[in-house]
Amino acid sequence: MSIKVYGFWRSIASFRIRVALKLKALAFEEISIDILHGEQFEHGYDAINPEHVVPTFIHDGHTLYQSLAIMEYLDEIKPNPRLLPDDVRERAYARSLALMTIADSHPLIVPRVRKHLANTFGADAAAIEEWGAHWTGEGLATYERLLARRNPAPFALGKEAGLADICIAGHVVGAQYLRIAIDAYPLVKQLSDRCFQLPEFSSSHPFKQPDYQAAGGQH
Ligand SMILES: N[C@@H](CCC(=O)N[C@@H](CS)C(=O)NCC(=O)O)C(=O)O
């Protein structure tokens, strides 16, 4: 089986795929596309991903996009360990938690949105930082309220880390970029600390990636 991922160290969606592949113990090659310097529009990447985003996932020549679809695909081709619960309601709840960042918060802070805020609306660096902190904070607050209703035991849906945990941990990485005080969200912090104690999460962290090191460790 051959798995290739076009990703980038800073990409939270690429982080999700990295963790999912490692939890599944599936070997993969990651090819770096520097989305901060416009490589998503160059070097033939246009032919690989017409949306000009990472990640792109290629399994035995078959191309997939969108981290949620990719994680669900991985669960189907290699069902154990499960990323999504067996129970139908639990499975839908795991997707609900995942989509709060994948669909609602994260899309608001990606490079193309930041660029549009600057180029079309004249937002300066401080305004863009405030925009990112606002939407990331909204996501953190939502997760904190949800984890208070249903305490992690010890992970979001039970004993093993799965889809929801990957997405919440990725959201916390986004908060780290913006230096948001995570202590204000204690349940989210505890859950993410628990995740990053696992090697599959810690070795997937953006700051551990070779392209981050090669870029001189700046974020
Ligand atoms: N919803 C997509 C996210 C895709 C996306 O926006 N990726 C970002 C990096 S996390 C990107 O490549 N952005 C390039 C840009 O905004 O120009 C997923 O979950 O895979």
Side-chain angles (χ1 to χ4, degrees):
M1 172 184 319
S2 132
I3 296 180
K4 253 196 236 177
V5 177
Y6 288 85
F8 186 56
W9 66 265
R10 199 175 198 280
S11 157
I12 293 166
S14 304
F15 164 82
R16 292 180 203 125
I17 299 306
R18 237 176 259 134
V19 178
L21 282 163
K22 289 183 184 187
L23 287 172
K24 294 285 185 189
L26 289 168
F28 63 100
E29 176 197 359
E30 183 166 340
I31 301 140
S32 178
I33 299 294
D34 186 343
I35 59 169
L36 296 178
H37 291 94
E39 276 186 16
Q40 66 271 43
F41 305 104
E42 297 168 5
H43 304 311
Y45 189 65
D46 176 69
I48 294 167
N49 188 314
E51 197 188 4
H52 302 143
V53 297
V54 291
T56 303
F57 172 91
I58 306 182
H59 175 208
D60 290 343
H62 179 71
T63 303
L64 289 177
Y65 315 103
Q66 292 289 339
S67 58
L68 184 62
I70 297 163
M71 289 188 284
E72 294 222 19
Y73 176 77
L74 291 175
D75 228 22
E76 291 183 22
I77 61 166
K78 188 169 183 197
N80 287 305
R82 301 283 297 163
L83 296 179
L84 282 142
D86 284 325
D87 178 81
V88 65
R89 290 187 176 157
E90 288 289 88
R91 197 154 64 242
Y93 187 58
R95 291 190 184 107
S96 309
L97 290 176
L99 284 164
M100 282 162 191
T101 190
I102 293 181
D104 292 351
S105 296
H106 177 228
L108 295 167
I109 61 152
V110 291
R112 60 193 178 283
V113 169
R114 300 202 301 267
K115 216 180 296 166
H116 194 59
L117 286 171
N119 295 346
T120 309
F121 302 105
D124 61 13
I128 292 171
E129 176 106 358
E130 159 53 28
W131 169 277
H134 174 78
W135 294 115
T136 303
E138 289 284 304
L140 288 169
T142 300
Y143 280 135
E144 186 69 17
R145 288 192 291 272
L146 282 157
L147 296 179
R149 285 191 190 185
R150 174 175 169 173
N151 262 274
F155 293 100
L157 276 98
K159 289 200 180 73
E160 308 292 337
L163 179 83
D165 307 285
I166 294 174
C167 292
I168 295 172
H171 196 84
V172 168
V173 170
Q176 290 168 356
Y177 295 155
L178 291 156
R179 291 169 291 277
I180 293 175
I182 192 78
D183 291 343
Y185 311 95
L187 295 171
V188 175
K189 181 183 183 319
Q190 283 159 25
L191 180 69
S192 126
D193 286 351
R194 208 168 289 131
C195 288
F196 282 107
Q197 277 161 15
L198 301 175
E200 293 84 356
F201 282 75
S202 62
S203 65
S204 299
H205 192 285
F207 301 160
K208 299 269 181 63
Q209 304 315 303
D211 48 353
Y212 172 74
Q213 314 287 348
Q218 295 297 316
H219 71 283

